[in-house]
Amino acid sequence: VVHIAAVNKDRSFDDYQRIYNTIAEKIREEDEYDGYIGYGPILVRLGWHSSGTYDKNDNTGGSYGGTMRFKLEQSDGANNGLGNARAFMEPILKEFPWISHGDLYTLGAVCAVQELQGPKVKWRPGRVDMPEDTTPKNGRLPDAANGADYVRNFYARLNMNDREAVALTGAHCLGRTHLKNSGFDGPWGAASNSFTNEFFVNLLNEQWKLQKNKAGNMQYDSPKGYMMLETDYALVQDPAYLKIVKEFANNEGAFFKEFASCFQKLLENGIDYPKDAPTYVFKTLDEQDL
Ligand code: HEM
Ligand SMILES: Cc1cnc2ccccc2c1N
């Protein structure tokens, strides 16, 4: 499968910055969502899950076709709860009908990372909505009840190495698990809407206890009420991963640099960009004094 980015000469940086600003202002406005976590974390998850179906072996899946808009993909249990993120995007699609779903879902994720004080993430337009029958089969998104070998294998399908895998998992500094979505519970109170290297600091510094939660699923809980998935905790069980976790826990800049590059790579997996395709770095609302 080949997905060529469509270069739309009628649209400029300002058009996309306007969509960025609309999303960013809506995140700022609707701050009460999910116990005042806000929509940032779930917008990051929407962009990530739109892209996480990619398979480097046949270049299928990924963000290009915007197939997250179809009910087949939405019915994948791993996507439970993302309807709230899609509902958030509905009015944006109405106001800017010229943007593809793939571009909007990935732009929303980049906007959320930046507005939550994370690193600048480069973004390129050109994804083209594909028909429903191009939707990949369910089952390509990862399952949390696994260890390091599974995690390494899963990320290899997305063409991500150990450093990229650890950096991407660092997005679990944001938001929380919801029993009704995934059968995992928490962190309570400690859920955050600031993009930092806290995930790695907590992983190393907290006392973790593997226990069955009230849905009967295994998760790691800490006395402070934090939680980690088994696939999170795998990052300190595997020596190669552990080395990188320590680096990122001690150097937030190194984490930000790696996240910025592999998040862009994740959102662009499977897409061929013509040499005249533009690359955008959006300004935050703060940088525009908005
Ligand atoms: C092995 C890989 C991964 C697994 C098994 C996994 C699993 C999960 C689970 C079970 C949840 C809770 C969903 C819910 O109950 O609402 C979650 C939430 C989340 N994930 Fe991951 N995840 C993985 C990788 C990633 C990556 C690569 C990113 C982004 C770069 C990411 C970003 C998020 C965010 C931001 C949330 C919070 C969403 C919210 O607060 O509503 N995750 N993840
Ligand atoms: C601290 C922490 C750990 N793991 C998570 C997994 C999914 C979503 C959020 C998480 C989170 N805030």
Side-chain angles (χ1 to χ4, degrees):
V1 168
V2 177
H3 289 143
I4 315 276
V7 182
N8 180 347
K9 297 283 182 205
D10 317 346
R11 296 294 170 189
S12 70
F13 172 75
D14 290 349
D15 289 299
Y16 291 101
Q17 179 76 59
R18 197 171 312 114
I19 295 182
Y20 175 104
N21 288 353
T22 308
I23 295 169
E25 281 158 2
K26 193 171 161 64
I27 292 173
R28 187 182 273 181
E29 164 64 26
E30 298 178 16
D31 64 341
E32 78 298 331
Y33 174 71
D34 200 13
Y36 285 90
I37 295 173
Y39 278 96
I42 199 168
L43 292 178
V44 172
R45 189 160 205 242
L46 179 66
W48 136 237
H49 273 206
S50 301
S51 310
T53 55
Y54 179 68
D55 185 337
K56 75 175 178 188
N57 298 296
D58 56 7
N59 212 48
T60 58
S63 67
Y64 184 86
T67 51
M68 179 66 89
R69 71 190 191 277
F70 296 123
K71 56 186 175 308
L72 170 63
E73 192 159 322
Q74 294 166 12
S75 71
D76 188 326
N79 287 325
N80 286 352
L82 288 179
N84 295 335
R86 291 194 306 274
F88 176 98
M89 289 298 199
E90 273 315 306
I92 314 276
L93 277 165
K94 295 233 173 352
E95 188 176 350
F96 304 97
W98 51 267
I99 192 166
S100 67
H101 288 76
D103 277 354
L104 182 64
Y105 295 154
T106 54
L107 173 51
V110 167
C111 174
V113 167
Q114 295 192 175
E115 291 301 304
L116 272 49
Q117 298 91 48
K120 286 292 178 87
V121 178
K122 291 188 188 110
W123 182 82
R124 294 190 281 183
R127 295 169 189 77
V128 178
D129 284 356
M130 299 291 279
E132 190 154 15
D133 63 1
T134 66
T135 306
K137 283 199 179 15
N138 289 346
R140 292 181 174 212
L141 293 167
D143 165 24
N146 286 288
D149 293 345
Y150 170 92
V151 171
R152 187 166 280 114
N153 211 23
F154 169 77
Y155 279 108
R157 200 199 75 211
L158 299 180
N159 190 29
M160 298 289 175
N161 63 31
D162 281 2
R163 192 177 175 77
E164 292 166 319
V166 173
L168 286 170
T169 311
H172 280 172
C173 62
L174 298 175
R176 53 172 293 223
T177 60
H178 308 79
L179 219 55
K180 64 187 181 326
N181 291 346
S182 61
F184 295 102
D185 199 10
W188 312 272
S192 110
N193 53 17
S194 300
F195 197 96
T196 68
N197 68 342
E198 275 301 293
F199 171 81
F200 303 110
V201 173
N202 291 339
L203 210 40
L204 294 173
N205 295 350
E206 289 293 299
Q207 274 69 42
W208 297 106
K209 197 162 135 238
L210 180 61
Q211 53 193 20
K212 206 172 264 223
N213 68 23
K214 52 187 159 185
N217 300 314
M218 301 307 282
Q219 66 179 58
Y220 287 85
D221 293 323
S222 87
K224 279 188 194 160
Y226 295 155
M227 64 80 70
M228 290 286 168
L229 302 167
E230 289 183 273
T231 44
D232 293 326
Y233 197 74
L235 302 186
V236 291
Q237 292 174 309
D238 176 280
Y241 282 151
L242 175 59
K243 200 159 161 285
I244 305 163
V245 169
K246 288 179 175 171
E247 180 195 347
F248 290 164
N250 292 300
N251 184 343
E252 188 171 72
F255 165 50
F256 272 32
K257 186 166 181 288
E258 186 59 43
F259 186 86
S261 79
C262 61
F263 196 53
Q264 177 187 4
K265 179 176 164 183
L266 176 76
L267 300 181
E268 295 182 351
N269 260 340
I271 303 171
D272 294 328
Y273 288 88
K275 59 192 174 317
D276 64 338
T279 299
Y280 298 139
V281 179
F282 297 112
K283 293 179 178 48
T284 61
L285 292 184
D286 289 350
E287 284 170 335
Q288 303 167 77
D289 298 320
L290 292 173

